[in-house]
């Protein structure tokens, strides 16, 4: 059963299953962040530097393999890549769980990251949903990632206090097996549509997008955002311990601050979309994050101040985590969103790796306060860079399947001209091989039904 306004049952099942698979995997990656500095002290070679390396190691392999794994899924199918990635994730979890040194844990974390399945999952979501519902499917996946981060901040300390560090890694291995069962039992059988430029990367577009200053600002922004995240969690758990909060009780702080932060960002997300204030609120979030980091530095030994700092940090982080992909979707050229997202995701995971390294080095040399203050300085640079961002809030992307023969160049050119003449269309791209038209439009002026009639040749 389905209707014109909503998901079919098949689309709902696929979207929820894919979101669960993505969320389970990210839960496994995040669970180690709030606990490794506390429970890894018995490992051979333990040091603040290796804390950072072990936390961020997944980001290096993830950044290197993210785009190639997406291309591979175009050729051999989505499910084989997802199965392979989850198997690597489970293997990496087992390697880390069995290791008695930080070096083995780092290898295990790198193996976890090598199971880079994000692009394949997003491409499969595009394969199994109609274009008019694809944004909803992607939103469900995005929400599930946010939930997985919140759950990890609570589950990590709980599992570690009960079973130790190895228990956290065994739990992530079990999660990987659970995700594989979801792939087998929960996903419908589908044929790969090949490259869908809204979700998969096109090599020929890399040069163009890497020269786009607006997109580069977003790529650099997500790199800095996740660099700060991993750097903060090299030092923050130790700050809580010094302030008198026992390791097994850290979730007492993380749970309420995360839940409250999710509530706090809702009005700002609505305000940004309705009042065209996205850029202003985005820059304000950078300032809030700077303030939170300074409070972390000056609040050493004061639990209430650390709690306030983490609330501000999570609020700003969650707002920016939601806003950056939305900005990217609005600014990416027609037919290039998948490539732009591939570069963006690579930057995100590279930031996680660099943050681990920088956080470890800084903590070793300057202590926790030094980590927080120097990371705050990078936020100041980001604020200056964000001043040049375009403030777009009503730009949307659409993919329209084309019926009829468009192999003739003249027919293709005529269709392109008609699409560009429609009210609200800013960019249009017709790909004969895909029998699809990619549009970038002003949502206030564009009429989707009019464009659909036009592509029914």
């Amino acid at each position: 059963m389905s209707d014109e306004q909503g998901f079919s049952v098949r689309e709902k099942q696929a979207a929820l299953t894919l979101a669960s698979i993505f969320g389970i995997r990210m839960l496994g990656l995040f669970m180690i962040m709030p606990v490794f500095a506390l429970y890894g002290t018995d490992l051979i070679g333990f040091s603040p530097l290796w804390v950072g390396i072990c936390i961020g190691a997944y980001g290096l392999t993830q950044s290197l393999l993210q785009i190639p794994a997406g291309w591979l899924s175009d050729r051999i199918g989505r499910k084989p890549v997802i199965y392979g990635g989850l198997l690597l994730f489970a293997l990496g979890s087992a390697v880390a769980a069995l290791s008695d040194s930080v070096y083995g844990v780092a290898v295990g974390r790198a193996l976890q990251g090598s199971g880079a399945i994000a692009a394949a999952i997003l491409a499969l979501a595009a394969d199994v949903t109609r274009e008019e519902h694809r944004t909803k499917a992607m939103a469900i996946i995005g929400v599930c990632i946010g939930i997985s981060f919140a759950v990890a901040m609570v589950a990590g300390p709980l599992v570690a206090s009960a079973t130790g560090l190895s228990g956290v890694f065994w739990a992530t291995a079990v999660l990987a097996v659970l995700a594989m069962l979801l792939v087998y039992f929960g996903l419908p059988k589908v044929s790969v549509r090949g490259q869908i430029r809204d979700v998969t990367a096109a090599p020929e577009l890399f040069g163009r997008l890497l020269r786009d200053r607006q997109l580069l600002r977003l790529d650099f922004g997500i790199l800095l955002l996740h660099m700060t995240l991993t750097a903060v969690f090299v030092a923050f758990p130790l700050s809580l311990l010094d302030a008198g909060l026992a390791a097994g009780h850290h979730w007492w702080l993380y749970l309420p601050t995360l839940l409250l932060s999710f509530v706090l960002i809702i009005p700002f997300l609505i305000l940004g979309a309705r009042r065209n204030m996205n850029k202003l609120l985005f820059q304000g979030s950078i300032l809030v994050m700077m303030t939170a980091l300074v409070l972390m530095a000056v609040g050493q030994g004061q639990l209430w101040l650390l709690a306030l700092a983490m609330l501000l940090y999570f609020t700003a982080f969650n707002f920016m985590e939601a806003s950056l992909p939305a900005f990217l979707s609005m600014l990416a050229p027609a037919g290039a969103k998948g490539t732009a997202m591939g570069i963006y995701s690579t930057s995100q995971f590279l930031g996680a790796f660099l943050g681990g390294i920088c956080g470890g080095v800084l903590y070793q040399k300057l202590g926790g306060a030094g980590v927080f203050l120097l990371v705050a300085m990078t936020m100041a640079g980001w604020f200056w860079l964000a001043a040049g961002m375009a403030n777009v809030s009503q730009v949307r992307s659409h993919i329209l399947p084309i019926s009829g023969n468009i192999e003739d160049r003249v027919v293709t050119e005529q269709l392109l001209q008609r699409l560009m003449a429609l009210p609200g269309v800013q960019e249009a791209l017709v790909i004969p091989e895909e029998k699809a038209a990619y549009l970038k439009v002003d949502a206030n002026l564009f009429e989707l039904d009019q464009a659909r009639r036009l592509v029914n040749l």
Side-chain angles (χ1 to χ4, degrees):
M1 297 291 293
S2 64
D3 59 69
E4 291 299 320
Q5 303 303 318
F7 277 156
S8 66
V9 172
R10 180 173 179 270
E11 286 174 321
K12 287 179 183 177
Q13 177 186 342
L16 290 171
T17 302
L18 287 168
S20 299
I21 293 165
F22 208 134
I24 285 171
R25 180 175 170 278
M26 297 310 294
L27 174 62
L29 288 173
F30 289 144
M31 277 175 66
I32 197 67
M33 292 179 63
V35 300
F36 190 78
L38 304 173
Y39 292 90
T41 52
D42 293 333
L43 293 171
I44 298 169
F46 180 87
S47 71
L49 174 60
W50 279 98
V51 170
I53 292 173
C54 290
I55 289 177
Y58 80 93
L60 179 61
T61 47
Q62 189 85 253
S63 64
L64 292 174
L65 297 174
Q66 190 71 23
I67 292 174
W71 291 339
L72 185 63
S73 77
D74 287 339
R75 287 157 180 78
I76 69 172
R78 316 298 188 203
K79 286 187 179 181
V81 171
I82 295 173
Y83 277 126
L86 291 172
L87 185 61
L88 284 170
F89 184 81
L91 178 61
S93 300
V95 168
L98 293 169
S99 297
D100 60 0
S101 71
V102 291
Y103 319 116
V105 172
V107 171
R109 289 284 284 174
L111 272 174
Q112 284 183 325
S114 67
I117 60 173
I121 287 178
L122 295 177
L124 183 54
D127 290 336
V128 299
T129 55
R130 290 165 288 170
E131 191 276 332
E132 60 266 32
H133 300 308
R134 192 166 298 147
T135 301
K136 298 176 188 175
M138 300 303 176
I140 291 172
I141 292 173
V143 168
C144 202
I145 294 171
I147 293 173
S148 71
F149 178 75
V151 172
M153 292 298 104
V154 176
L158 283 173
V159 174
S161 65
T163 64
L165 189 63
S166 64
V168 176
F169 287 118
W170 284 124
T172 63
V174 171
L175 288 172
V177 174
L178 176 60
M180 283 189 270
L181 292 174
L182 283 174
V183 175
Y184 185 81
F185 290 107
L187 292 179
K189 295 181 179 179
V190 294
S191 299
V192 174
R193 296 185 186 178
Q195 187 180 68
I196 301 174
R197 289 178 175 230
D198 249 26
V199 292
T200 55
E204 65 274 13
L205 297 177
F206 281 129
R208 175 188 174 188
L209 297 187
L210 289 172
R211 292 190 297 270
D212 188 313
R213 293 186 177 183
Q214 291 295 336
L215 293 178
L216 283 176
R217 283 187 174 90
L218 301 182
D219 296 333
F220 191 65
I222 194 64
L223 185 147
L224 283 179
L225 185 63
H226 281 260
M227 188 178 80
T228 64
L229 179 69
T230 49
V232 162
F233 276 96
V234 170
F236 192 76
L238 295 170
S239 295
L240 290 181
L241 201 63
D242 292 341
L245 188 62
H249 296 159
H250 282 196
W251 67 273
W252 291 0
L253 183 142
Y254 294 134
L255 179 60
T257 53
L258 269 166
L259 292 178
L260 185 54
S261 73
F262 284 129
V263 173
L264 290 175
I265 68 169
I266 292 173
F268 294 106
L269 289 172
I270 295 172
L271 186 65
R274 292 183 178 177
R275 299 292 181 87
N276 200 26
M277 295 172 61
N278 276 326
K279 179 181 175 181
L280 179 63
L281 292 171
F282 188 84
Q283 288 182 285
S285 295
I286 298 175
L287 292 177
V288 170
M289 182 171 280
M290 287 174 58
T291 303
L293 290 163
V294 172
L295 287 177
M296 289 179 193
V298 301
Q300 297 295 295
Q302 302 179 66
L303 188 57
W304 72 271
L305 200 52
L306 292 174
L308 174 61
M310 187 50 70
L311 174 62
L312 293 174
Y313 180 85
F314 278 149
T315 302
F317 177 89
N318 289 329
F319 181 84
M320 289 189 283
E321 187 83 343
S323 299
L324 277 164
F327 268 71
L328 184 88
S329 179
M330 295 173 196
L331 291 170
K337 189 163 71 175
T339 309
M341 186 59 73
I343 297 170
Y344 170 91
S345 297
T346 298
S347 302
Q348 172 182 331
F349 292 118
L350 182 60
F353 172 68
L354 293 175
I357 299 291
C358 294
V361 170
L362 290 174
Y363 192 90
Q364 201 158 284
K365 301 290 186 183
L366 303 172
V371 173
F372 302 135
L373 287 175
L374 286 175
V375 171
M377 290 174 62
T378 67
M379 294 292 98
W382 187 9
F383 181 82
W384 173 80
L385 189 69
M389 289 174 60
N391 187 30
V392 290
S393 61
Q394 296 302 320
V395 177
R396 299 291 183 268
S397 297
H398 294 281
I399 309 174
L400 302 180
I402 300 172
S403 62
N405 185 359
I406 56 169
E407 293 180 3
D408 185 277
R409 181 176 296 181
V410 175
V411 174
T412 301
E413 187 61 33
Q414 289 175 344
L415 175 60
L416 185 61
Q417 291 176 0
R418 293 194 200 104
L419 289 170
M420 285 297 299
L422 292 176
V425 175
Q426 298 178 351
E427 296 180 18
L429 179 68
V430 176
I431 308 294
E433 297 81 6
E434 298 180 30
K435 299 197 74 172
Y438 293 83
L439 303 181
K440 185 175 174 181
V441 305
D442 183 333
N444 291 322
L445 302 174
F446 179 69
E447 294 185 12
L448 183 58
D449 289 339
Q450 187 178 7
R452 283 175 175 161
R453 288 193 296 270
L454 196 59
V455 297
N456 288 325
L457 301 177

